[in-house]
PDB file of all heavy atoms in Angstrom:
ATOM      1  N   THR E 106     -44.174 -10.556  47.679  1.00 96.00           N
ATOM      2  CA  THR E 106     -44.181 -10.993  49.061  1.00 96.00           C
ATOM      3  C   THR E 106     -43.157 -12.056  49.170  1.00 96.00           C
ATOM      4  O   THR E 106     -43.311 -13.138  48.567  1.00 96.00           O
ATOM      5  CB  THR E 106     -45.580 -11.530  49.463  1.00 96.00           C
ATOM      6  OG1 THR E 106     -46.531 -10.492  49.194  1.00 96.00           O
ATOM      7  CG2 THR E 106     -45.605 -11.907  50.933  1.00 96.00           C
ATOM      8  N   GLY E 107     -42.006 -11.763  49.811  1.00 94.00           N
ATOM      9  CA  GLY E 107     -40.936 -12.752  49.817  1.00 94.00           C
ATOM     10  C   GLY E 107     -39.786 -12.392  50.728  1.00 94.00           C
ATOM     11  O   GLY E 107     -39.951 -11.541  51.607  1.00 94.00           O
ATOM     12  N   GLN E 108     -38.663 -13.055  50.479  1.00 95.00           N
ATOM     13  CA  GLN E 108     -37.541 -12.907  51.412  1.00 95.00           C
ATOM     14  C   GLN E 108     -36.475 -11.940  50.886  1.00 95.00           C
ATOM     15  O   GLN E 108     -35.445 -11.766  51.522  1.00 95.00           O
ATOM     16  CB  GLN E 108     -36.867 -14.288  51.617  1.00 95.00           C
ATOM     17  CG  GLN E 108     -37.806 -15.247  52.409  1.00 95.00           C
ATOM     18  CD  GLN E 108     -37.208 -16.618  52.552  1.00 95.00           C
ATOM     19  OE1 GLN E 108     -36.954 -17.279  51.561  1.00 95.00           O
ATOM     20  NE2 GLN E 108     -36.947 -17.044  53.751  1.00 95.00           N
ATOM     21  N   THR E 109     -36.738 -11.333  49.708  1.00 95.00           N
ATOM     22  CA  THR E 109     -35.725 -10.404  49.211  1.00 95.00           C
ATOM     23  C   THR E 109     -36.433  -9.299  48.428  1.00 95.00           C
ATOM     24  O   THR E 109     -37.575  -9.443  47.994  1.00 95.00           O
ATOM     25  CB  THR E 109     -34.698 -11.139  48.343  1.00 95.00           C
ATOM     26  OG1 THR E 109     -33.640 -10.264  47.983  1.00 95.00           O
ATOM     27  CG2 THR E 109     -35.299 -11.681  47.099  1.00 95.00           C
ATOM     28  N   GLY E 110     -35.759  -8.174  48.232  1.00 96.00           N
ATOM     29  CA  GLY E 110     -36.394  -6.991  47.626  1.00 96.00           C
ATOM     30  C   GLY E 110     -36.485  -7.072  46.113  1.00 96.00           C
ATOM     31  O   GLY E 110     -35.947  -7.941  45.469  1.00 96.00           O
ATOM     32  N   VAL E 111     -37.188  -6.071  45.551  1.00 98.00           N
ATOM     33  CA  VAL E 111     -37.454  -6.046  44.133  1.00 98.00           C
ATOM     34  C   VAL E 111     -36.899  -4.799  43.478  1.00 98.00           C
ATOM     35  O   VAL E 111     -37.366  -4.376  42.428  1.00 98.00           O
ATOM     36  CB  VAL E 111     -38.970  -6.161  43.879  1.00 98.00           C
ATOM     37  CG1 VAL E 111     -39.482  -7.553  44.173  1.00 98.00           C
ATOM     38  CG2 VAL E 111     -39.724  -5.124  44.687  1.00 98.00           C
ATOM     39  N   GLU E 112     -35.799  -4.264  44.023  1.00 98.00           N
ATOM     40  CA  GLU E 112     -35.176  -3.089  43.430  1.00 98.00           C
ATOM     41  C   GLU E 112     -34.699  -3.433  41.984  1.00 98.00           C
ATOM     42  O   GLU E 112     -34.899  -2.604  41.053  1.00 98.00           O
ATOM     43  CB  GLU E 112     -33.938  -2.652  44.207  1.00 98.00           C
ATOM     44  CG  GLU E 112     -34.228  -2.168  45.611  1.00 98.00           C
ATOM     45  CD  GLU E 112     -33.962  -3.273  46.623  1.00 98.00           C
ATOM     46  OE1 GLU E 112     -34.495  -4.390  46.415  1.00 98.00           O
ATOM     47  OE2 GLU E 112     -33.260  -3.065  47.596  1.00 98.00           O
ATOM     48  N   MET E 113     -34.054  -4.590  41.820  1.00 98.00           N
ATOM     49  CA  MET E 113     -33.528  -4.872  40.485  1.00 98.00           C
ATOM     50  C   MET E 113     -34.635  -5.107  39.463  1.00 98.00           C
ATOM     51  O   MET E 113     -34.477  -4.734  38.300  1.00 98.00           O
ATOM     52  CB  MET E 113     -32.580  -6.146  40.588  1.00 98.00           C
ATOM     53  CG  MET E 113     -31.350  -5.949  41.450  1.00 98.00           C
ATOM     54  SD  MET E 113     -30.470  -4.368  41.247  1.00 98.00           S
ATOM     55  CE  MET E 113     -30.038  -4.411  39.514  1.00 98.00           C
ATOM     56  N   GLU E 114     -35.734  -5.687  39.932  1.00 98.00           N
ATOM     57  CA  GLU E 114     -36.881  -5.888  39.023  1.00 98.00           C
ATOM     58  C   GLU E 114     -37.382  -4.527  38.523  1.00 98.00           C
ATOM     59  O   GLU E 114     -37.676  -4.378  37.331  1.00 98.00           O
ATOM     60  CB  GLU E 114     -38.010  -6.657  39.751  1.00 98.00           C
ATOM     61  CG  GLU E 114     -37.777  -8.183  39.858  1.00 98.00           C
ATOM     62  CD  GLU E 114     -36.681  -8.601  40.877  1.00 98.00           C
ATOM     63  OE1 GLU E 114     -36.254  -7.707  41.685  1.00 98.00           O
ATOM     64  OE2 GLU E 114     -36.317  -9.778  40.871  1.00 98.00           O
ATOM     65  N   ALA E 115     -37.511  -3.575  39.418  1.00 98.00           N
ATOM     66  CA  ALA E 115     -37.991  -2.286  38.997  1.00 98.00           C
ATOM     67  C   ALA E 115     -36.998  -1.590  38.051  1.00 98.00           C
ATOM     68  O   ALA E 115     -37.367  -0.971  37.062  1.00 98.00           O
ATOM     69  CB  ALA E 115     -38.245  -1.398  40.224  1.00 98.00           C
ATOM     70  N   LEU E 116     -35.703  -1.733  38.379  1.00 98.00           N
ATOM     71  CA  LEU E 116     -34.659  -1.072  37.513  1.00 98.00           C
ATOM     72  C   LEU E 116     -34.598  -1.709  36.165  1.00 98.00           C
ATOM     73  O   LEU E 116     -34.476  -1.044  35.122  1.00 98.00           O
ATOM     74  CB  LEU E 116     -33.290  -1.174  38.211  1.00 98.00           C
ATOM     75  CG  LEU E 116     -33.115  -0.181  39.361  1.00 98.00           C
ATOM     76  CD1 LEU E 116     -31.950  -0.579  40.281  1.00 98.00           C
ATOM     77  CD2 LEU E 116     -32.849   1.281  38.825  1.00 98.00           C
ATOM     78  N   VAL E 117     -34.644  -3.039  36.078  1.00 98.00           N
ATOM     79  CA  VAL E 117     -34.599  -3.762  34.824  1.00 98.00           C
ATOM     80  C   VAL E 117     -35.843  -3.375  34.011  1.00 98.00           C
ATOM     81  O   VAL E 117     -35.739  -3.116  32.763  1.00 98.00           O
ATOM     82  CB  VAL E 117     -34.521  -5.275  35.043  1.00 98.00           C
ATOM     83  CG1 VAL E 117     -34.876  -6.045  33.759  1.00 98.00           C
ATOM     84  CG2 VAL E 117     -33.152  -5.672  35.517  1.00 98.00           C
TER      85      VAL E 117
END
Side-chain angles (χ1 to χ4, degrees):
Chain E
T106 303
Q108 293 176 298
T109 188
V111 288
E112 297 97 310
M113 297 316 301
E114 281 74 12
L116 284 162
V117 164

